[in-house]
Amino acid sequence: MKTIFRTLLLAVCLTPLGLRAENPTLFDQFEHTELLKLELEFSLDTMYAKVNTNEEYPAVFRFQDAHGAWVELSGEIRARGRYRRRVCDFPPLRIDFSKKDLRARGLADYDDLKLVTHCQTGRKGKEAVLREYLTYKMYQQLSDHALRAKLVEVTYIDTESNQKLVKYGILLEDIDELAARKNSVECEECFGLSTVEFQQDNLRTHAMFQYMIGNVDWSVPMSRNLKILKPVNGGLHTVVPYDFDFSGLVNVGYAVPSQEVGQTKVGDRVYLGAERSGSELQPTLELFKSKQDTFVAMVENFDFLSRSGRREMTEYLDSFYVALDNGLVCEDMAIQGCPTPLSK
């Protein structure tokens, strides 16, 4: 009974905000299970030869559907990520499918998926994927402008040697799919926008989340490690973050602190939002306080992650909430007039 309860609790916690019924998409086909089984077949030699380019090469993508049957699609892949492709033993990948093939299967033509790979070999790489996956799921609890993320167990098959490698990964939905749900489009040239051109609640939630997880590897003006959405009928922009590997919550081995913003070590919290008034941030702080038990439960009930990994994540989250309760968050961010203590 306890196991059933924990499974149901985790399912509720991992359901993103703001999903609504729409025409089926490829990503919709993955939602029947917590851990999706995948096969990705391509030439490993080609991947490593083209790791520093954006040149695509053929791949076969297979996944298990809700009935346990394997579904196969042809596509093309390439390395992605400016930093990870340089430091990873196995680079992150972008998978492009044929829109014609998707339509023939009765699916919408969102044809671009991103695969966060294990990057590093061994236990450290496995744990990093699982911790980053949980980070994506946490943001979904705070905002409906969040990418859907699916935990996958990928069997990589080398077409030349037929050797297989089984690793955890994270599939991220096509940004155009999220944009369609929000009646928006991706703004690819939205650099240097003023903060007044954004939904303020969205900016505050995003900035506070990055502060909570100890991540400074992002920039709204530079559109770094985030996407910017623009409503099709006009209105204010929103941000959609991704790539949390440099955060203290994920704590990858290859991350380096950003001395430019005052970090002395990875995980030092630095607030990069523009607000400096407690009255502006009070609703945001109350939102985060209301999610404390949810976040802790998500980590503690996530049995894919090792016990030590879960303990490290909960301790890091606890340090944020202790500081929040004691008013130290406001002090650290030089914000005046924050209410303290906050109640759940």
Side-chain angles (χ1 to χ4, degrees):
M1 179 64 69
K2 182 178 179 182
T3 301
I4 294 174
F5 174 76
R6 290 179 65 186
T7 301
L8 291 173
L9 176 62
L10 187 62
V12 171
C13 289
L14 297 185
T15 300
L17 297 173
L19 288 183
R20 60 177 176 81
E22 58 179 11
N23 292 333
T25 68
L26 179 59
F27 205 91
D28 291 337
Q29 313 310 302
F30 307 152
E31 298 288 52
H32 61 277
T33 180
E34 183 181 358
L35 178 66
L36 183 71
K37 301 281 188 177
L38 288 186
E39 289 183 355
L40 194 58
E41 188 171 353
F42 59 95
S43 167
L44 286 174
D45 284 346
T46 301
M47 179 187 75
Y48 287 116
K50 299 181 183 297
V51 71
N52 293 318
T53 76
N54 289 331
E55 186 176 345
E56 295 182 329
Y57 41 95
V60 176
F61 178 94
R62 304 182 187 94
F63 69 95
Q64 275 190 311
D65 66 14
H67 306 290
W70 285 94
V71 178
E72 180 175 304
L73 298 96
S74 297
E76 293 185 321
I77 62 174
R78 67 168 177 84
R80 57 171 288 268
R82 294 180 181 178
Y83 188 82
R84 289 199 221 199
R85 73 167 71 192
R86 293 192 287 112
V87 301
C88 287
D89 300 324
F90 198 104
L93 300 171
R94 191 181 80 172
I95 310 171
D96 286 332
F97 299 97
S98 162
K99 291 184 179 181
K100 182 179 180 180
D101 190 12
L102 293 176
R103 291 169 186 157
R105 296 169 184 267
L107 302 174
D109 56 2
Y110 301 116
D111 61 332
D112 178 7
L113 299 180
K114 292 180 174 59
L115 177 62
V116 180
T117 64
H118 54 283
C119 184
Q120 297 177 308
T121 58
R123 180 176 178 272
K124 190 73 174 177
K126 171 186 173 182
E127 294 275 293
V129 169
L130 296 171
R131 290 167 74 137
E132 189 167 10
Y133 169 72
L134 277 177
T135 307
Y136 276 102
K137 305 309 282 189
M138 288 179 191
Y139 193 68
Q140 290 174 356
Q141 292 294 315
L142 295 164
S143 174
D144 57 1
H145 284 80
L147 288 166
R148 284 194 287 174
K150 173 58 62 178
L151 182 64
V152 294
E153 183 183 83
V154 190
T155 299
Y156 299 99
I157 305 172
D158 182 22
T159 54
E160 297 175 18
S161 67
N162 206 37
Q163 290 185 335
K164 298 181 179 180
L165 179 68
V166 182
K167 295 289 182 181
Y168 285 125
I170 308 167
L171 273 181
L172 299 177
E173 71 173 327
D174 191 325
I175 185 62
D176 291 337
E177 186 172 349
L178 170 59
R181 283 203 303 277
K182 307 312 297 179
N183 197 29
S184 300
V185 293
E186 180 188 359
C187 187
E188 299 186 58
E189 303 299 327
C190 282
F191 299 104
L193 294 181
S194 168
T195 56
V196 299
E197 298 179 76
F198 290 88
Q199 292 182 16
Q200 295 305 297
D201 287 346
N202 170 260
L203 276 189
R204 292 166 187 157
T205 299
H206 168 258
M208 187 59 67
F209 179 76
Q210 299 282 19
Y211 178 83
M212 181 184 76
I213 68 173
N215 186 36
V216 297
D217 188 25
W218 61 276
S219 169
V220 174
M222 296 298 295
S223 194
R224 185 173 79 246
N225 287 337
L226 53 86
K227 299 292 188 180
I228 296 177
L229 301 186
K230 181 178 181 179
V232 295
N233 296 324
L236 297 172
H237 299 73
T238 54
V239 298
V240 180
Y242 61 92
D243 281 1
F244 305 117
D245 52 327
F246 268 47
S247 69
L249 192 62
V250 177
N251 194 30
V252 296
Y254 56 81
V256 294
S258 174
Q259 297 179 353
E260 295 179 359
V261 299
Q263 274 192 325
T264 58
K265 65 180 185 302
V266 173
D268 284 347
R269 291 187 172 98
V270 180
Y271 186 70
L272 300 182
E275 304 80 12
R276 287 295 181 265
S277 163
S279 61
E280 291 180 314
L281 273 177
Q282 181 173 353
T284 304
L285 296 174
E286 291 176 348
L287 170 64
F288 275 75
K289 187 63 181 177
S290 73
K291 296 296 183 180
Q292 181 176 0
D293 290 344
T294 299
F295 291 160
V296 172
M298 288 172 68
V299 176
E300 290 182 342
N301 295 325
F302 191 61
D303 292 333
F304 293 104
L305 188 62
S306 69
R307 190 170 299 174
S308 62
R310 282 177 279 167
R311 183 178 63 252
E312 289 175 4
M313 290 190 77
T314 54
E315 288 176 352
Y316 192 80
L317 289 171
D318 285 345
S319 69
F320 167 79
Y321 281 106
V322 168
L324 184 61
D325 289 342
N326 294 335
L328 298 178
V329 167
C330 293
E331 181 180 321
D332 184 42
M333 297 188 300
I335 290 176
Q336 302 298 319
C338 275
T340 184
L342 292 172
S343 60
K344 293 182 183 178

